[in-house]
């Protein structure tokens, strides 16, 4: 612990002040620290394992109007990639072990095991010991998100960034794609590199296609990987709302305004007719109201409400994952738990306590001041 954190992070503040914001956690008997919120310009999710620094993945701006946001953001070639909907994972090799960090800098026991099984990254890390692989863990069997991709049966890990773990400096897009091919790592789809003007039409075409296939959207990047911009499909706005209004008192409020505005700007940029806007409005309304009605009925029937996930793996990993969630204060309801040979598969619900309790309260006659 003898490093000069102040100069390493390039911050003016007293390094002790900065370190105070890190939480201490343990993984396989090893102590590590992580930053669960951005502080002094250091990204959320930055972790310290002994004196190794793993920088957080930076937050990325979103375009509401593609054409003007592309013009304002980029002055050189723009690479367009698919934006996958799973969860952000950084993989680093520290003291010979692969560790998988979630967005907020936890070493997730389940993700670490999956990544060990999915990735053959030894050769990559032999060549690039100081780099980290940044990617999206996607697929139906994961404990955080539940977007289905027809090409994935369980889970997959798709690289969208290679960064220096200590400085966070990204590798350029072309080189990153090359490295993925060289080392046999799956990459997010790359749709080509365009001038900013051509990127507008290219992104719009991709968005139409992704929307029709129920996929999330695109990320546009400068070729050095430093600047990124995200833009998403109407299909994912509706899917997000459906998810949020399944658990209205946990997520509803935060989700609704942002998604409605994304839809509104998208309709305007596309110059939609009154009929097209009406169709969009109807779909949006259904995405909000129907799941809320179903949830109130479920609470009324005494069924558990929350996010349901299925995970599969060796019994110890599954045990570690469930304990890790319970330690974080989550209440879990196990629906299905089955071990076949070496594989344990568990379906569980992370109970949405606010939704359950508030819904019950109103169903039993509770009133509201509004
Ligand atoms: P923020 O970027 O503000 O933290 P967020 O955590 O809500 O937002 P998203 O809206 O999902 O995240 O957008 C950014 C995330 O998209 C990245 O952190 C990453 O996990 C994911 N992602 C998926 N595909 C890509 C890609 N091709 N390039 C970069 N990120 C991608
Ligand atoms: Mg995401």
């Amino acid at each position: 612990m003898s490093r000069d954190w102040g100069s390493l992070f390039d911050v003016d503040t007293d390094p002790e002040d900065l370190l105070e914001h890190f939480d201490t956690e343990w993984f396989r008997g090893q102590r590590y620290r992580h930053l669960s919120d951005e502080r002094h310009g250091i990204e959320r999710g930055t972790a310290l394992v002994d004196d190794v620094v793993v920088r957080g993945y930076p937050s990325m701006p979103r375009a509401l109007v593609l054409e003007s946001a592309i013009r304002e953001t980029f002055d050189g070639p723009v690479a367009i990639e698919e934006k996958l909907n799973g969860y952000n994972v950084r993989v680093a090799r520290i003291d010979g072990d692969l560790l998988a960090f979630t967005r907020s800098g936890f070493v997730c026991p389940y993700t670490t095991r999956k990544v060990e099984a999915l990735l053959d990254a030894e050769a990559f890390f032999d060549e690039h010991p100081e780099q980290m692989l940044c990617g999206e863990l996607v697929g139906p069997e994961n404990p955080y998100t539940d977007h289905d991709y027809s090409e994935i049966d369980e889970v997959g890990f798709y690289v969208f960034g290679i960064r220096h773990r200590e400085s966070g400096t990204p590798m350029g897009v072309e080189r990153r794609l090359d490295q993925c091919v060289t080392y046999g790592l799956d990459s997010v789809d790359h749709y080509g590199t365009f001038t900013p003007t051509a990127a507008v039409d290219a992104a719009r075409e991709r968005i139409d296609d992704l929307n029709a296939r129920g996929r999330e959207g695109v990320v546009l990047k400068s070729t050095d990987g430093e600047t990124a911009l995200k833009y998403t499909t109407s299909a994912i706005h509706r899917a997000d709302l459906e998810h949020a209004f399944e658990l209205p008192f946990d997520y509803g409020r935060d989700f609704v305004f942002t998604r409605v505005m994304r839809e509104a700007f998208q309709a305007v940029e596309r110059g939609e007719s009154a009929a097209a806007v009406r169709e969009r409005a109807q779909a949006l309304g259904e995405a909000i109201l129907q799941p809320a009605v179903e949830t109130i009925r479920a609470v009324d029937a005494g069924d558990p409400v929350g996010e349901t996930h299925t995970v599969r793996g060796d019994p110890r990993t599954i045990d570690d994952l469930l304990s890790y969630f319970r330690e974080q204060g989550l209440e879990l309801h196990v629906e299905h738990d089955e071990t076949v040979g070496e594989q344990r598969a568990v379906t569980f619900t992370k109970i949405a306590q606010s939704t359950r309790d508030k819904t019950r309260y109103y169903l039993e006659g509770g009133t509201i001041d509004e």
Side-chain angles (χ1 to χ4, degrees):
M1 299 289 157
S2 53
R3 298 195 62 173
D4 175 3
W5 302 112
S7 67
L8 180 72
F9 286 129
D10 195 21
V11 289
D12 304 334
T13 177
D14 179 356
E16 285 308 313
D17 281 356
L18 179 63
L19 287 183
E20 244 175 41
H21 297 298
F22 282 76
D23 297 325
T24 298
E25 295 290 338
W26 294 85
F27 179 73
R28 294 182 190 160
Q30 163 143 46
R31 194 178 94 108
Y32 69 96
R33 291 180 284 183
H34 74 110
L35 191 62
S36 34
D37 279 307
E38 195 217 302
R39 295 279 170 166
H40 303 291
I42 305 299
E43 308 80 8
R44 168 165 95 97
T46 297
L48 310 173
V49 184
D50 279 333
D51 60 359
V52 174
V53 179
V54 180
R55 293 295 283 257
Y57 191 81
S59 163
M60 132 187 0
R62 168 186 299 278
L64 287 188
V65 179
L66 261 178
E67 181 163 24
S68 47
I70 291 175
R71 191 177 60 233
E72 290 297 315
T73 307
F74 299 103
D75 51 17
V78 184
I80 306 184
E81 300 175 355
E82 178 169 15
K83 181 178 198 302
L84 289 176
N85 184 21
Y87 62 102
N88 181 303
V89 174
R90 285 161 291 140
V91 182
R93 191 170 75 181
I94 300 175
D95 286 339
D97 295 324
L98 288 193
L99 294 182
F101 297 85
T102 62
R103 196 70 199 279
S104 61
F106 274 103
V107 178
C108 170
Y110 174 84
T111 312
T112 296
R113 270 272 187 265
K114 283 292 157 189
V115 162
E116 281 167 353
L118 283 169
L119 282 185
D120 188 4
E122 286 308 310
F124 171 81
F125 284 112
D126 287 345
E127 189 63 28
H128 305 285
E130 301 273 282
Q131 303 284 326
M132 58 183 176
L133 295 171
C134 307
E136 197 83 346
L137 209 114
V138 287
E141 289 197 356
N142 83 68
Y144 301 103
T145 50
D146 65 354
H147 194 102
D148 276 352
Y149 285 97
S150 55
E151 68 272 31
I152 306 169
D153 290 332
E154 287 181 27
V155 283
F157 178 75
Y158 295 86
V159 174
F160 53 67
I162 298 177
R163 291 177 172 252
H164 190 271
R165 67 187 186 195
E166 206 137 276
S167 65
T169 304
M171 189 179 275
V173 173
E174 285 301 326
R175 176 143 185 256
R176 184 193 87 215
L177 292 168
D178 269 3
Q179 295 293 304
C180 285
V181 172
T182 304
Y183 294 105
L185 305 167
D186 287 333
S187 159
V188 294
D189 273 354
H190 173 80
Y191 300 135
T193 301
F194 307 86
T195 63
T197 313
V200 177
D201 282 337
R204 283 179 179 162
E205 274 172 35
R206 289 297 172 175
I207 283 290
D208 283 347
D209 173 58
L210 293 167
N211 185 47
R213 294 191 289 136
R215 296 171 78 107
E216 186 179 20
V218 292
V219 179
L220 294 86
K221 292 179 183 163
S222 59
T223 49
D224 61 6
E226 292 279 1
T227 309
L229 185 68
K230 61 191 178 197
Y231 186 80
T232 48
T233 61
S234 185
I236 203 76
H237 303 155
R238 289 195 304 273
D240 285 353
L241 286 170
E242 273 164 21
H243 170 69
F245 279 85
E246 264 169 35
L247 308 172
F249 294 108
D250 290 82
Y251 298 131
R253 264 174 231 272
D254 289 345
F255 271 70
V256 72
F257 181 74
T258 51
R259 270 63 182 190
V260 170
M261 293 321 293
R262 289 174 202 170
E263 284 291 283
F265 278 102
Q266 191 166 88
V268 171
E269 181 168 20
R270 296 169 62 97
E272 285 180 359
S273 66
V277 173
R278 194 171 318 114
E279 206 177 297
R280 200 185 268 273
Q282 258 156 18
L284 192 74
E286 284 173 11
I288 294 171
L289 201 63
Q290 283 174 346
V293 168
E294 274 171 36
T295 293
I296 296 171
R297 288 191 173 136
V299 173
D300 201 20
D303 296 339
V305 290
E307 289 166 80
T308 301
H309 301 285
T310 297
V311 290
R312 186 185 306 274
D314 67 276
R316 205 142 141 252
T317 306
I318 301 299
D319 233 28
D320 287 350
L321 176 77
L322 299 178
S323 325
Y324 159 83
F325 281 147
R326 290 191 173 112
E327 276 159 27
Q328 290 182 342
L330 293 177
E331 183 183 335
L332 304 182
H333 181 273
V334 174
E335 266 98 56
H336 189 79
D337 190 344
E338 177 181 62
T339 304
V340 179
E342 293 292 281
Q343 292 272 302
R344 178 174 171 202
V346 178
T347 301
F348 63 96
T349 299
K350 295 179 184 166
I351 297 296
Q353 294 169 349
S354 292
T355 295
R356 180 195 56 195
D357 298 346
K358 289 199 172 135
T359 305
R360 215 180 260 164
Y361 169 76
Y362 295 125
L363 281 171
E364 288 168 359
T367 56
I368 195 166
D369 280 335
E370 60 186 18

